[in-house]
Amino acid sequence: MAKKDKVKKPIYKRWWFVTIAVIFVIGTIANLGDTEEVATDVAEETEEVAEEVVEEVATEEASAEETTEEPVEEEAVEDDVSTEFKSALTKAQMYSDTMNMSKAGLFDQLTSEYGEQFPEDAAQYAIDNVEADWNENALKSAESYSETMHMSKAAIFDQLISEHGEQFLEEEAQYAIDHIQADWNENALQKAKTYQEDMSMSVEAVRDQLVSEYGEQFTQEEADYAVSNLE
């Protein structure tokens, strides 16, 4: 958009015009009175003012040129991205937004023969350009595991970083664990109820399953809370 032209003052309103006019009048009076000294002073003053006028006019013209100069428009960058690449990016954005997948998980899904079957270069383009907060994706995945599967903190962390799970980076998984709002005691209780009701396990067997590193990985305190609140 072009800038508006700077409005210049009428010549009769400019300070230098008035000054010259006044000096001219004084010079005329001095000459009429044959006062040589006054005439000389007036001539010198007139010369100084004239120099200032030339300088100011040059400055104003330069300023006017700057304000009226049309901005240089950037040349449009040619869109040379193929349709295949764009499609891969669209799919990646969908998976990130709806399924909160990790970067590695997205790449695998895009290239898998059982998934989207994009070529690797298209999938890599999608990964490089998708708008995603991987920390937030990890957090949302952690919340889903907690709310739907009642998993423990340690089990969720393992699931987030597992190559057979979500494939988040460890720092992304740790961010999720640090920021998730979960009641781990309640999660342990819900798991205990599942084992008792669906598998008819004893209280002690449930307790062992809750704390086992090959089981649910709850803390001892969380497991004790769970079994003590079983009906």
Side-chain angles (χ1 to χ4, degrees), residues 27-210:
T28 302
I29 294 174
N31 289 331
L32 290 174
D34 293 328
T35 305
E36 182 177 354
E37 182 179 354
V38 174
T40 300
D41 292 342
V42 169
E44 293 176 353
E45 182 69 20
T46 302
E47 184 178 356
E48 292 177 0
V49 172
E51 291 176 354
E52 293 179 3
V53 168
V54 171
E55 183 178 351
E56 185 198 23
V57 171
T59 301
E60 289 185 356
E61 289 178 352
S63 176
E65 290 179 0
E66 290 178 359
T67 55
T68 58
E69 184 179 356
E70 291 289 338
V72 178
E73 295 184 2
E74 296 182 0
E75 296 183 2
V77 178
E78 184 179 357
D79 185 6
D80 57 355
V81 179
S82 70
T83 302
E84 183 87 332
F85 279 36
K86 291 179 181 178
S87 296
L89 177 56
T90 299
K91 282 289 187 178
Q93 196 67 59
M94 180 194 71
Y95 280 118
S96 176
D97 293 343
T98 61
M99 300 182 66
N100 307 305
M101 297 178 70
S102 67
K103 184 183 294 187
L106 272 177
F107 186 87
D108 286 352
Q109 181 64 21
L110 291 175
T111 58
S112 173
E113 62 178 316
Y114 304 108
E116 301 300 332
Q117 304 181 53
F118 283 104
E120 289 192 359
D121 56 351
Q124 190 59 54
Y125 170 83
I127 295 302
D128 292 341
N129 290 277
V130 67
E131 295 181 1
D133 184 329
W134 307 115
N135 283 339
E136 285 300 313
N137 280 12
L139 175 57
K140 290 177 181 177
S141 291
E143 290 172 342
S144 177
Y145 281 117
S146 175
E147 293 168 4
T148 63
M149 300 180 68
H150 311 296
M151 294 174 68
S152 67
K153 182 185 295 187
I156 289 176
F157 183 88
D158 286 350
Q159 181 67 17
L160 291 179
I161 65 172
S162 173
E163 62 178 315
H164 304 295
E166 301 300 329
Q167 303 183 67
F168 283 101
L169 300 177
E170 288 194 8
E171 52 266 33
E172 294 163 353
Q174 191 59 55
Y175 174 90
I177 295 302
D178 291 342
H179 291 81
I180 190 173
Q181 300 294 321
D183 187 334
W184 305 115
N185 283 336
E186 187 61 27
N187 280 12
L189 176 57
Q190 293 303 318
K191 277 291 186 181
K193 288 180 178 179
T194 299
Y195 283 117
Q196 185 183 58
E197 296 169 2
D198 297 344
M199 302 180 67
S200 303
M201 293 175 65
S202 67
V203 170
E204 289 308 313
V206 168
R207 192 196 307 272
D208 288 345
Q209 183 65 20
L210 291 179

Side-chain angles (χ1 to χ4, degrees), residues 2-43:
K3 296 182 180 179
K4 294 184 179 179
D5 294 342
K6 183 178 180 181
V7 179
K8 295 184 178 180
K9 294 182 180 179
I11 190 171
Y12 61 83
K13 289 186 178 181
R14 299 192 179 189
W15 67 270
W16 52 265
F17 180 85
V18 176
T19 303
I20 292 177
V22 171
I23 293 175
F24 176 78
V25 172
I26 294 175
T28 302
I29 294 174
N31 289 331
L32 290 174
D34 293 328
T35 305
E36 182 177 354
E37 182 179 354
V38 174
T40 300
D41 292 342
V42 169

